[in-house]
């Protein structure tokens, strides 16, 4: 075995025979205006202002000086084992990649469904196979599910040539049923399975997959009878083998006269405690987070009011709330029939949030601090924007350990019009955090700004107007710009664009930093990331449009530190 980091290997060996990969982070802090976070060894300056949204205009991505991006895979790459329905990395087989000449919003554009590769999970593993039994695929891989169109799983083979660059892993589960469209992913080092989450199709839930294609396909199991159905997105393990899930389920809008644009919080944060952490199919207990108000009463789903005093209190700097975990389903007594986690969480007194999407443990806290994003209403006209979480933000849950039954919740960052729709979240070292936006094209128009990625200092307070630093100002590629025009026409009621199905917002997703270690010692939050050193690599996906998955690199680097293409 080639040992790429002897200290990390020895530490992991004491814990398990294999060592973990988890989603990790960009280990630099971006230094901008006065009062910004202290400079880290991987410091960089602000990337500049967000790119504006302009009709018919494309923009390149802007990264902080010192960073560059290179294509790991893009939508038009043919799968090495594609099918007529799924021929490319980011396009289904339902039409051309761009509308034919002369096809406009006035002449019913015909365009293939963009499959939208979503969260990325990077692993450094040997002995993996693909469609070509005679080809050596290397050992560096990025796995993802796809969020739109046909549900399927892919693997980017980072050491392979273009013809073998992307492998189709599965389109069906072990029962022969079509896979849903996926949002989240992680590697479970205890069960030795990839875990994928689905927000809506097939009721949402968690599916687990073997790592390597056997007889041409991986084995994928539906876990809706174990972990339930829900609008699941963020997912990861803690050091005890529990599975944490963050739900993104949009709530209904209340009376538009009293609260125009506001939606009632309708999403929950879950923790699954398995009976056997090495085999999730053996069942366990699904718990939901309950937050108590100042009087000790649970803050519960109300169904009709998006502007309550408790919602405002949750989104107020300086407030701190007691929390507990409530069991909503136990397979030992409730069985394994698929169930709705969202519906069970409400009568059990769990606390709903405004579309939380992803969560991550802070390194150095022994999995005692969990930060999660809240996307909010993604509209500049929501009545909830200023005081009731309409712009979302970031929460911090503190516990004595990941298995503790109680803790405290506080608001770490309160979003605003310029920093909202926060989605993917990762740590950038021990104290540095990144969160990236999925504001949506409507809000892009309202604020005349596309999405950005930001860095935060978890040791700092943002209560007095301090703001994060932008490390990525996302651009818009040509096909996304075209799609944006079609979707804008559809939004204005143009019937000739009524069937157009693709988004044009080029959202940032799949932000992921990892050294690829597939054992317990590398679970996200187990150790501080060190991007660009000792095999740590950085990825994000520019979803929609050309559907490019990028690898981020330093503009000047020592290739021996990066490890790309080496026998690691």
């Amino acid at each position: 075995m080639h040992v790429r980091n002897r200290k990390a290997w020895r530490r992991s060996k004491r814990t398990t025979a294999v060592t973990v990969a988890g989603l990790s982070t960009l280990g630099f802090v971006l230094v901008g205006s006065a009062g910004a976070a202290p400079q880290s060894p991987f410091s960089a300056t602000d990337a500049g202002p967000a790119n504006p949204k302009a009709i018919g205009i494309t923009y390149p991505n802007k990264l902080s000086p010192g960073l560059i991006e290179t294509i790991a895979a893009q939508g038009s790459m043919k799968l090495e084992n594609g099918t007529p329905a799924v021929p490319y990395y980011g396009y289904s087989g339902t039409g051309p990649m761009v509308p034919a000449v002369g096809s406009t919003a006035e002449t019913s554009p015909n365009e293939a469904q963009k499959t939208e590769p979503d969260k990325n999970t990077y692993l450094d593993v040997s002995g993996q196979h693909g469609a070509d039994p005679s080809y050596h695929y290397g050992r560096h891989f990025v796995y993802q599910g796809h969020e739109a169109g046909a549900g399927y799983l892919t693997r980017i083979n980072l050491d392979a040539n273009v013809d073998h660059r992307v492998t189709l892993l599965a389109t069906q589960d072990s029962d022969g049923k079509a896979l849903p469209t996926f949002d989240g992913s992680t590697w479970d080092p205890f069960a030795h399975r990839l875990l994928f989450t689905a927000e809506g199709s097939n009721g949402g839930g968690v599916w687990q997959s073997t790592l390597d294609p056997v007889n041409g396909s991986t084995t994928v199991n539906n876990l809706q009878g174990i972990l339930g159905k829900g609008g699941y997105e963020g997912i990861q393990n803690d050091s005890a083998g529990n599975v944490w899930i963050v739900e993104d389920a949009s709530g209904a809008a209340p009376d538009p006269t009293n609260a125009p644009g506001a939606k009632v919080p309708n999403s929950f944060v879950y923790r699954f405690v398995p009976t056997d952490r090495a085999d999730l199919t053996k069942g366990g207990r699904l718990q939901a987070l309950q937050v108590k108000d100042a009087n000790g009463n649970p803050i519960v789903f109300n169904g009709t009011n998006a502007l309550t005093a408790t919602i405002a209190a949750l989104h107020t700097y300086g407030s701190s709330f007691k929390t507990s975990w409530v069991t909503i389903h136990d397979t030992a007594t409730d069985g394994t029939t698929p169930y709705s986690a969202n519906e069970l969480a409400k009568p059990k007194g769990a606390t709903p949030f405004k579309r939380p999407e992803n969560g991550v443990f802070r390194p150095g806290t022994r999995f005692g601090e969990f930060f999660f994003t809240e996307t909010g209403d993604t509209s500049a006209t929501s009545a909830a924007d200023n005081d009731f979480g309409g712009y979302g933000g970031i929460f911090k849950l503190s516990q004595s350990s990941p298995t503790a039954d109680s803790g405290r919740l506080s608001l770490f960052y309160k979003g605003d019009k310029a920093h909202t729709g926060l989605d993917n979240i990762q740590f950038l070292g021990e104290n540095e955090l990144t969160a990236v936006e999925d504001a949506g094209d409507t809000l892009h128009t309202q604020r005349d700004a596309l999405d950005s990625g930001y860095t935060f200092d978890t040791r700092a307070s943002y209560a007095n107007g301090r703001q994060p630093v932008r490390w990525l100002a996302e651009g818009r590629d040509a096909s996304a710009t075209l799609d944006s025009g079609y979707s804008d026409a559809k939004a204005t009621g143009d019937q000739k664009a009524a069937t157009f199905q693709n988004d044009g917002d080029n959202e940032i997703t799949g932000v992921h930093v990892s050294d690829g270690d597939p054992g317990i010692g590398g679970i996200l939050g187990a150790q501080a990331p060190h991007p660009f050193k000792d095999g740590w690599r950085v990825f994000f996906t520019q979803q929609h449009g050309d559907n490019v998955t990028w690898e981020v690199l330093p503009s000047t680097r020592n290739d021996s530190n990066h490890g790309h293409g080496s026998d690691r």
Side-chain angles (χ1 to χ4, degrees):
M1 177 177 67
H2 179 77
V3 180
R4 63 186 185 282
N5 183 330
R6 294 187 179 276
K7 290 183 179 179
W9 178 75
R10 287 194 296 267
R11 179 173 58 251
S12 297
K13 186 179 180 182
R14 288 194 297 268
T15 309
T16 182
V18 237
T19 28
V20 74
L23 305 159
S24 263
T25 51
L26 267 146
F28 52 83
V29 168
L30 303 168
V31 180
S33 58
Q39 184 171 342
S40 81
F42 291 90
S43 63
T45 54
D46 194 292
N51 282 312
K53 178 184 176 182
I55 296 174
I57 303 298
T58 67
Y59 298 98
N61 294 335
K62 295 192 298 185
L63 285 81
S64 296
L67 299 177
I68 59 173
E69 58 188 13
T70 184
I71 294 174
Q74 66 184 48
S76 58
M77 280 186 176
K78 293 187 70 173
L79 300 173
E80 66 164 355
N81 55 338
T83 68
V86 186
Y88 301 100
Y89 176 59
Y91 295 85
S92 70
T94 56
M97 294 176 187
V98 293
V101 174
S103 175
T104 67
E106 287 72 36
T107 59
S108 300
N110 176 33
E111 183 178 89
Q113 170 74 61
K114 311 292 180 71
T115 67
E116 303 178 14
D118 208 317
K119 304 301 185 300
N120 296 304
T121 296
Y122 169 61
L123 292 174
D124 178 351
V125 288
S126 60
Q128 303 303 291
H129 305 89
D132 185 347
S134 64
Y135 189 77
H136 177 63
Y137 285 85
R139 58 181 302 152
H140 306 103
F141 307 97
V142 180
Y143 298 81
Q144 57 280 125
H146 293 248
E147 192 180 6
Y152 62 99
L153 308 177
T154 52
R155 184 189 70 197
I156 302 172
N157 310 309
L158 294 170
D159 299 331
N161 61 27
V162 171
D163 291 337
H164 297 87
R165 188 69 165 182
V166 187
T167 302
L168 176 65
L169 295 180
T171 59
Q172 297 179 332
D173 66 17
S174 57
D175 295 324
K177 297 179 180 179
L179 295 179
T181 54
F182 290 112
D183 296 272
S185 70
T186 194
W187 169 249
D188 182 344
F190 301 98
H192 295 169
R193 293 291 187 273
L194 290 159
L195 301 179
F196 294 94
T197 57
E199 279 187 292
S201 56
N202 290 357
V206 178
W207 278 251
Q208 70 172 12
S209 171
T210 54
L211 192 62
D212 190 37
V214 178
N215 297 324
S217 181
T218 57
T219 300
V220 184
N221 301 117
N222 182 337
L223 299 180
Q224 288 175 316
I226 308 296
L227 287 87
K229 296 181 179 182
Y232 295 164
E233 184 155 350
I235 185 168
Q236 79 154 92
N237 285 97
D238 63 29
S239 56
N242 301 318
V243 180
W244 293 55
I245 304 170
V246 180
E247 182 180 40
D248 174 15
S250 182
D255 183 353
T257 302
N258 298 315
K263 293 186 177 181
V264 177
N266 188 43
S267 306
F268 300 90
V269 176
Y270 302 95
R271 182 177 70 180
F272 179 71
V273 182
T275 301
D276 180 356
R277 64 185 186 179
D279 186 356
L280 298 183
T281 65
K282 292 183 179 179
R285 293 177 289 124
L286 185 68
Q287 303 174 321
L289 185 68
Q290 181 185 81
V291 184
K292 298 177 177 66
D293 64 19
N295 297 317
N297 299 314
I299 300 173
V300 299
F301 176 77
N302 70 72
T304 59
N305 192 348
L307 307 178
T308 68
T310 52
I311 294 173
L314 279 173
H315 296 91
T316 299
Y317 282 119
S319 297
S320 177
F321 303 87
K322 292 182 178 179
T323 64
S324 60
W325 291 97
V326 292
T327 296
I328 63 173
H329 187 275
D330 187 342
T331 56
T333 56
D334 301 321
T336 57
T337 300
Y339 62 94
S340 170
N342 188 282
E343 292 179 5
L344 292 182
K346 292 170 182 175
K348 292 295 181 70
T351 299
F353 295 89
K354 292 181 74 71
R355 296 182 58 204
E357 299 224 18
N358 285 276
V360 64
F361 289 99
R362 181 183 177 185
T365 67
R366 297 185 179 180
F367 295 87
E369 289 186 9
F370 184 71
F371 287 73
F372 63 92
T373 55
E374 191 182 49
T375 295
D377 290 331
T378 58
S379 171
T381 60
S382 169
D385 279 344
N386 294 324
D387 299 312
F388 301 91
Y391 282 132
I394 303 173
F395 285 97
K396 180 177 75 171
L397 174 64
S398 300
Q399 300 184 167
S400 59
S401 73
T403 60
D405 291 327
S406 61
R408 298 198 72 91
L409 182 80
S410 59
L411 180 72
F412 169 70
Y413 177 75
K414 182 177 180 178
D416 57 27
K417 185 176 180 179
H419 313 82
T420 187
L422 298 176
D423 190 319
N424 278 208
I425 184 172
Q426 296 271 285
F427 264 92
L428 313 177
E430 187 170 354
N431 301 301
E432 298 81 35
L433 182 71
T434 186
V436 299
E437 293 179 308
D438 174 17
D441 228 10
T442 297
L443 187 51
H444 293 160
T445 301
Q446 292 171 337
R447 69 182 188 182
D448 190 27
L450 303 179
D451 290 335
S452 292
Y454 303 101
T455 61
F456 301 81
D457 183 355
T458 55
R459 299 162 295 184
S461 171
Y462 290 84
N464 296 319
R466 180 189 183 122
Q467 292 295 351
V469 180
R470 182 179 288 108
W471 70 270
L472 169 63
E474 190 160 48
R476 173 163 281 171
D477 57 49
S479 57
T481 304
L482 186 64
D483 292 347
S484 180
Y486 290 136
S487 54
D488 284 349
K490 180 178 180 178
T492 59
D494 188 328
Q495 291 303 305
K496 292 181 179 178
T499 60
F500 188 73
Q501 77 279 21
N502 290 322
D503 292 320
D505 62 352
N506 262 166
E507 73 168 273
I508 310 166
T509 191
V511 175
H512 180 70
V513 181
S514 173
D515 66 351
D517 187 353
I520 298 169
I523 295 176
L524 181 60
Q527 54 184 318
H530 299 285
F532 319 132
K533 285 188 175 181
D534 300 323
W536 289 81
R537 300 175 76 164
V538 181
F539 303 92
F540 75 93
T541 293
Q542 191 166 359
Q543 205 178 47
H544 311 135
D546 289 340
N547 280 314
V548 177
T549 294
W550 300 96
E551 180 168 5
V552 179
L553 301 169
S555 57
T556 57
R557 63 184 176 87
N558 181 343
D559 283 328
S560 64
N561 285 336
H562 180 53
H564 180 71
S566 64
D567 183 19
R568 297 169 52 238

